[in-house]
Amino acid sequence: GAGVSQSPSNKVTEKGKDVELRCDPISGHTALYWYRQSLGQGLEFLIYFQGNSAPDKSGLPSDRFSAERTGGSVSTLTIQRTQQEDSAVYLCASSLGGERHQPQHFGDGTRLSIL
Amino acid sequence: AQSVSQHNHHVILSEAASLELGCNYSYGGTVNLFWYVQYPGQHLQLLLKYFSGDPLVKGIKGFEAEFIKSKFSFNLRKPSVQWSDTAEYFCAVNRNNAGNMLTFGGGTRLMVKP
């Protein structure tokens, strides 16, 4: 079956511009996660959605970052007024439920480069 | 600070050599433990996981890991590596009292020489 789908696969933009990254989770998965993978910081958690509950935003690095999940499926991560330190691979993952033992399935990521 | 540590950043082995990658975490309480692998140009894939029960966990592709609670460790092992095991390996932890997010180690790049 289809895995987690992310788009675009690559995004190059100028400093100060806003970007939107999209994640389409595996069908039927109620939990969705965003992570960031960068050279200096490794893999870092950003935000977590589970069903209709309020998202866990504890990993968002600044108020320039926000995310939405519409209809319990597709999610969009938005970065406003991008900075060079935002350059990273943004990974989305989904899991069947919110239970901690459920493994997370990752997408291929969006490689974001800020000029 | 609480963290997940992978002390080997780069490992180079010849085919058929045995592999052990270290993973230590510094959290108290109950944890769930995972190893993920990222092959070149591919997404992260789950190798194995531990939640409870037998501390020796077997995963895909001949990998296994042992949870040693007293040492806060979850080392990954494979008795005989293949060239196709060349990849980056990540240990990850989620804690039962701290949300569902995974905290990852810094990763270990494994190169297997044919």
Side-chain angles (χ1 to χ4, degrees):
Chain A
V4 176
S5 177
Q6 291 188 247
S7 61
S9 54
N10 284 283
K11 177 73 175 177
V12 181
T13 193
E14 294 179 346
K15 176 182 170 181
K17 301 285 189 185
D18 296 352
V19 294
E20 283 191 354
L21 312 180
R22 176 189 168 105
C23 172
D24 209 332
I26 294 172
S27 178
H29 281 196
T30 60
L32 187 148
Y33 310 78
W34 284 97
Y35 294 86
R36 178 168 72 172
Q37 187 174 23
S38 57
L39 279 177
Q41 303 298 324
L43 268 157
E44 306 171 278
F45 164 75
L46 297 176
I47 188 168
Y48 158 59
F49 296 88
Q50 168 54 31
N52 295 321
S53 302
D56 179 342
K57 303 179 182 180
S58 60
L60 294 179
S62 79
D63 59 7
R64 296 185 295 104
F65 287 72
S66 62
E68 290 185 342
R69 188 178 186 193
T70 52
S73 180
V74 172
S75 176
T76 302
L77 177 69
T78 301
I79 309 173
Q80 296 179 309
R81 305 181 302 282
T82 52
Q83 304 293 314
Q84 287 187 330
E85 61 263 28
D86 299 335
S87 295
V89 177
Y90 288 82
L91 296 173
C92 179
S94 69
S95 63
L96 188 57
E99 296 81 12
R100 292 177 181 84
H101 67 276
Q102 292 285 356
Q104 296 177 26
H105 300 264
F106 285 81
D108 289 333
T110 294
R111 183 174 297 277
L112 177 64
S113 301
I114 309 300
L115 303 178
Chain B
Q2 295 177 324
S3 66
V4 180
S5 298
Q6 294 179 240
H7 302 292
N8 312 103
H9 300 294
H10 292 89
V11 173
I12 302 174
L13 295 173
S14 297
E15 277 196 314
S18 64
L19 171 71
E20 181 160 2
L21 301 182
C23 173
N24 289 90
Y25 62 93
S26 59
Y27 306 110
T30 304
V31 293
N32 305 306
L33 299 153
F34 305 80
W35 275 97
Y36 280 84
V37 60
Q38 189 169 29
Y39 297 103
Q42 296 187 27
H43 58 265
L44 280 164
Q45 300 172 42
L46 182 70
L47 267 182
L48 47 78
K49 60 186 180 184
Y50 171 81
F51 301 106
S52 63
D54 188 343
L56 183 62
V57 180
K58 295 196 182 295
I60 60 171
K61 305 187 180 186
F63 286 91
E64 65 179 32
E66 185 175 13
F67 171 51
I68 304 180
K69 189 173 181 179
S70 61
K71 295 185 177 180
F72 296 87
S73 71
F74 189 55
N75 292 356
L76 181 71
R77 300 194 292 248
K78 185 171 184 178
S80 176
V81 295
Q82 301 173 311
W83 175 79
S84 57
D85 294 323
T86 294
E88 189 161 14
Y89 293 80
F90 294 91
C91 180
V93 174
N94 86 20
R95 295 172 286 152
N96 279 2
N97 62 348
N100 283 33
M101 73 287 289
L102 293 173
T103 301
F104 285 87
T108 298
R109 287 187 183 273
L110 171 65
M111 178 182 293
V112 180
K113 298 184 293 184

